[in-house]
Amino acid sequence: MLRGIKAMMPVKKPYKIGLALSGGGAKGFGHLGILQALNERGIFPDVIAGTSAGAFAGVLYADGNDPENILTFFKKKTFSEFAKLTIPQGGFLNTLPFRAFLEKHLKARTYEDLKIPLYVAATDIERGKSKIFHSGELIPSIVASCSVPIIFSPVEIDKHYYVDGGLFRNLPVTPIRKLCEKVIAVNVSPIAYSEFKPAIKYVAERTIHYMSASNTLYDRDLCDYLLESNELSDYTLFDLEHSKEIFQKGYEVAINYMEHEKDHFKKDFPSFH
């Protein structure tokens, strides 16, 4: 009888608030603006899942950095400072400068060192499936999650090769859904109109955008709150010159969303103000 009653009782989940951050290249600066707005209103995630740009923003935040402070890491940075042209062997650019950036700005060297638990999505390019990293060495999996195929060389981890997590899971709600009472998902790269440009760069970016956006449909239905906006669609994958502008637009998206959903936020998040 007691076992039957116990089976009927709801299982307490380890985390109250989970945050899932999508891929989106430089549009990921919008994640930082949204985090800033959430924090100002009393919302702090207990666990984070990130893909590509979301993994990048997520790891810097989970390491204990304030969103506005993270933005200062990119002051006067250009894309060329994050990648180095190489003889194509899986990609036109290698990621050594990106690794150096993470080594400089991250205090943590393993997932266990982070102040907030983090789940990172990458793609096993050999076996054709999504891989979620959550423990062990930190930097290689972050780099792998951000490694856009063809543009960047795949990253070798434990004798397997990984590329951008957005190929299979661009909005990583699934890895943390069962762990959290509530999940807030942020998609900085929804499908949006972009005027045609007769350039390989345009075609490549739009192709990557459509492929990654198409796999978000399932995860979108799993979250409790979904923040997304087409206002960021004008920015390209590697647009570091407008980081402050993208940050501000993300901030405004979150402020407007929370104002619209404030009754629900007050109910679900006691710390919300």
Side-chain angles (χ1 to χ4, degrees), residues 80-98:
S80 62
E81 294 178 73
F82 287 87
K84 182 179 179 182
L85 188 65
T86 185
I87 297 173
Q89 292 182 330
F92 287 101
L93 303 173
N94 73 41
T95 54
L96 290 177
F98 184 32

Side-chain angles (χ1 to χ4, degrees), residues 46-257:
D46 300 303
V47 61
I48 299 171
T51 294
S52 196
F56 191 25
V59 73
L60 292 169
Y61 181 81
D63 198 39
N65 296 293
D66 177 85
E68 286 186 321
N69 184 51
I70 294 172
L71 198 62
T72 66
F73 297 167
F74 300 89
K75 189 176 182 181
K76 297 182 180 179
K77 293 282 187 184
T78 63
F79 173 66
S80 62
E81 294 178 73
F82 287 87
K84 182 179 179 182
L85 188 65
T86 185
I87 297 173
Q89 292 182 330
F92 287 101
L93 303 173
N94 73 41
T95 54
L96 290 177
F98 184 32
R99 287 173 182 263
F101 176 90
L102 291 172
E103 288 171 358
K104 177 181 178 180
H105 292 289
L106 285 177
K107 296 181 287 292
R109 287 297 179 262
T110 69
Y111 281 87
E112 290 78 8
D113 294 335
L114 293 169
K115 297 182 183 300
I116 301 173
L118 178 69
Y119 290 75
V120 168
T123 300
D124 185 326
I125 198 168
E126 297 171 292
R127 292 179 284 185
K129 63 181 183 180
S130 181
K131 167 73 174 180
I132 304 299
F133 291 91
H134 178 54
S135 63
E137 193 176 0
L138 184 61
I139 291 176
S141 57
I142 302 299
V143 176
S145 183
C146 297
S147 293
V148 179
I150 301 176
I151 297 175
F152 292 106
S153 300
V155 177
E156 182 180 1
I157 302 174
D158 296 332
K159 297 183 180 180
H160 290 282
Y161 291 87
Y162 297 93
V163 294
D164 197 313
L167 294 183
F168 283 112
R169 194 167 300 284
N170 202 48
L171 187 64
V173 177
T174 301
I176 59 172
R177 175 64 276 183
K178 293 182 179 180
L179 303 174
C180 305
E181 293 178 11
K182 298 294 177 182
V183 174
I184 300 171
V186 181
N187 183 14
V188 296
S189 195
I191 292 178
Y193 173 80
S194 177
E195 186 177 353
F196 177 75
K197 298 174 184 176
I200 291 176
K201 183 173 179 289
Y202 169 87
V203 175
E205 287 195 359
R206 294 304 287 176
T207 300
I208 293 168
H209 176 58
Y210 292 141
M211 286 193 302
S212 59
S214 67
N215 68 50
T216 65
L217 300 178
Y218 178 75
D219 288 82
R220 285 164 59 94
D221 290 337
L222 293 179
C223 63
D224 300 287
Y225 295 93
L226 176 63
L227 285 75
E228 63 180 6
S229 172
N230 291 333
E231 292 181 31
L232 301 176
S233 61
D234 291 336
Y235 300 99
T236 63
L237 280 175
F238 308 118
D239 186 354
L240 299 185
E241 296 179 3
H242 297 93
S243 58
K244 288 185 178 180
E245 191 175 306
I246 298 170
F247 178 101
Q248 184 61 31
K249 287 194 175 183
Y251 178 86
E252 292 168 0
V253 165
I255 291 295
N256 292 335
Y257 182 89

